[in-house]
Amino acid sequence: MKETSKQEIRSGVYETISQIVSAFASPARLKIIQILAQAECSVEELAQETRESVANVSQHLQRLARMKIVRCERRGLSRIYKIQNPMVLQLWEGFQDLAHEVDEDLNHKEDILIDSSLVAEETPDEVLKLVSKGKATLLDVRTSKEISMTKVPGAIAVPMEDLAGSANYKSLGLVKSKPVYVYCRGRYCGKASNAVKHLRKHGYEAYRLRESPFQLQLIQGDK
């Protein structure tokens, strides 16, 4: 193989990688990935969650599908999208970590979004150890669909709307003798913070976690 042809191949490799990377370079597409990290969704569901038009969401999904970041399944008249490869979730978490390293203002914005005063002082590893020993409760307040598709083992599943509408928290598996650690979609999602405030008003020792279900699953897998 001639040196010039090797150079062409090398250029083609970088071109392909750049196309894949550029597929992530859109706020709307990142929101789509964040939602699909929780559960598979239809185009209409993604449009509602992202507050984008169905047409715009469809275009973004087509771009992500071409790069094999997401894949589509047809179920009747619906098109259902899901993450193609778990490495996509690792990249998404890594993008967030990198962004917070290079732009300190993002940390301030995150604190505002989730109310950092509610965040647990313990590391997620320490929290999961407490849960495994029966000394704490882990609570997932995402939607029922998200909980069923990306469940964290050992967590009690109580969607936020069910928690807010309950008159008997003990029946949900929550006891005041144990601290409750709450998680939702991740570091920018406010559901866990709202749940913590709600539980504290009712006499519970409650804290939120910044980590996403994907991160908690990884920590559990390392044990």
Side-chain angles (χ1 to χ4, degrees):
M1 185 176 290
K2 296 181 180 180
E3 185 65 28
T4 52
S5 64
K6 286 184 178 180
Q7 290 176 353
E8 290 173 354
I9 291 172
R10 187 173 292 110
S11 296
V13 167
Y14 284 112
E15 175 64 25
T16 298
I17 294 173
S18 70
Q19 289 177 4
I20 294 171
V21 172
S22 67
F24 290 90
S26 159
R29 290 196 286 274
L30 290 179
K31 285 191 287 185
I32 287 171
I33 290 170
Q34 168 71 333
I35 295 163
L36 292 179
Q38 318 303 316
E40 62 184 29
C41 290
S42 67
V43 178
E44 291 75 18
E45 288 172 326
L46 288 167
Q48 182 176 4
E49 286 283 350
T50 60
R51 298 183 180 180
E52 300 275 345
S53 69
V54 170
N56 284 343
V57 169
S58 293
Q59 288 182 353
H60 288 305
L61 286 168
Q62 289 169 19
R63 175 77 179 275
L64 292 171
R66 283 198 300 272
M67 295 296 102
K68 297 184 180 180
I69 294 169
V70 303
R71 61 189 173 94
C72 177
E73 293 181 5
R74 289 195 174 274
R75 297 179 190 170
L77 298 177
S78 297
R79 290 172 295 161
I80 306 299
Y81 285 85
K82 57 178 66 176
I83 296 294
Q84 175 84 3
N85 189 307
M87 286 186 67
V88 172
L89 303 181
Q90 293 177 315
L91 279 172
W92 168 229
E93 298 290 351
F95 288 155
Q96 294 174 69
D97 291 340
L98 174 61
H100 281 261
E101 285 290 331
V102 301
D103 188 343
E104 293 184 0
D105 189 49
L106 286 179
N107 297 318
H108 175 63
K109 291 177 179 177
E110 179 189 350
D111 289 343
I112 294 174
L113 286 173
I114 67 171
D115 189 348
S116 59
S117 66
L118 305 175
V119 176
E121 294 183 359
E122 295 87 352
T123 66
D125 186 66
E126 291 171 337
V127 169
L128 292 176
K129 285 180 179 178
L130 289 172
V131 172
S132 67
K133 293 177 181 178
K135 295 182 178 180
T137 301
L138 186 63
L139 179 63
D140 187 343
V141 294
R142 296 175 298 155
T143 67
S144 297
K145 178 182 177 182
E146 292 172 338
I147 291 169
S148 66
M149 290 194 166
T150 50
K151 183 174 176 58
V152 176
I156 293 176
V158 185
M160 184 60 211
E161 57 270 23
D162 293 346
L163 181 69
S166 177
N168 185 353
Y169 299 105
K170 192 172 182 179
S171 68
L172 301 176
L174 304 176
V175 293
K176 292 183 178 180
S177 58
K178 298 179 184 180
V180 180
Y181 295 93
V182 189
Y183 68 92
C184 48
R185 289 177 172 175
R187 67 200 308 165
Y188 310 124
C189 180
K191 284 188 176 182
S193 296
N194 293 336
V196 167
K197 292 176 183 177
H198 186 79
L199 288 170
R200 287 185 179 183
K201 286 181 181 178
H202 289 81
Y204 284 83
E205 181 186 353
Y207 310 92
R208 78 155 285 153
L209 300 178
R210 295 179 187 269
E211 288 71 26
S212 67
F214 177 73
Q215 290 174 305
L216 294 175
Q217 290 168 349
L218 286 180
I219 294 169
Q220 288 181 329
D222 289 339
K223 294 185 180 298

